Amino acid sequence: MKILVSACLLGANCKYNGGNNLCSEILHLQDRHTLLPVCPEQLGGLSTPRSPAERKGDRVITCEGADVTQAYQKGAQEALALAKRLGAQCAILKARSPACGCGAIYDGSFTHHMVSGRGVAAQLMEEAGIPVYTEEMLPKEWQSKEDS
């Protein structure tokens, strides 16, 4: 199976602070699947590092108050185009991210308060019929034997 994956989860230093969110559980999937790394924020033209941002309704705002919604929308569209072009059957995106979060995201207050919702890219993927998971909610059949 071809799986679109947030590049930060594969160890790419594209997280907002210049770091990554390396997830060994996801790295193990490359033994059985083709993993396709993507960073919607970078695809939208944002730099790394960049100011932290959170989704507030339909907008994405940095902690300084700058509206970066357009960059997040562009990145989401580019990520979806890649998913379609490369034949991704699903996506594993970074939990809680304003681009990639699925199920719960930060509320836009920069107080670590969570609300039900999806990141811009996750929402676009789901609307296009691509199932989205996070590193925190992988299907049981994907979990490594050591974790079973």
Side-chain angles (χ1 to χ4, degrees):
M1 177 181 336
K2 291 183 179 180
I3 305 171
L4 194 78
V5 180
S6 290
C8 64
L9 295 173
L10 297 174
N13 291 326
C14 57
K15 186 176 168 181
Y16 76 92
N17 64 5
N20 65 66
N21 295 302
L22 180 62
C23 180
S24 60
E25 181 82 23
I26 293 172
L27 282 180
H28 290 304
L29 293 176
Q30 69 186 341
D31 297 336
R32 301 179 311 273
H33 306 284
T34 301
L35 305 183
L36 310 166
V38 65
C39 177
E41 290 95 331
Q42 287 183 337
L43 288 173
L46 297 172
S47 64
T48 300
R50 58 190 164 274
S51 294
E54 294 184 3
R55 191 164 188 193
K56 188 170 184 112
D58 289 336
R59 312 303 303 163
V60 182
I61 309 296
T62 69
C63 61
E64 293 92 11
D67 187 330
V68 290
T69 305
Q70 188 173 22
Y72 275 77
Q73 289 171 338
K74 180 180 188 268
Q77 291 166 351
E78 293 292 331
L80 177 60
L82 276 173
K84 288 179 175 181
R85 190 173 310 122
L86 298 174
Q89 292 142 299
C90 64
I92 302 172
L93 303 177
K94 178 66 186 107
R96 298 181 297 281
S97 159
C100 299
C102 184
I105 56 173
Y106 293 113
D107 70 354
S109 67
F110 295 92
T111 59
H112 299 287
H113 185 261
M114 306 293 292
V115 293
S116 179
R118 299 174 290 180
V120 179
Q123 180 177 342
L124 197 60
M125 297 273 176
E126 288 181 337
E127 288 172 354
I130 297 174
V132 176
Y133 306 96
T134 72
E135 76 280 12
E136 297 173 350
M137 56 175 220
L138 295 175
K140 191 164 186 76
E141 64 269 17
W142 291 358
Q143 295 175 10
S144 64
K145 292 176 183 166
E146 302 89 59
D147 294 340
S148 298

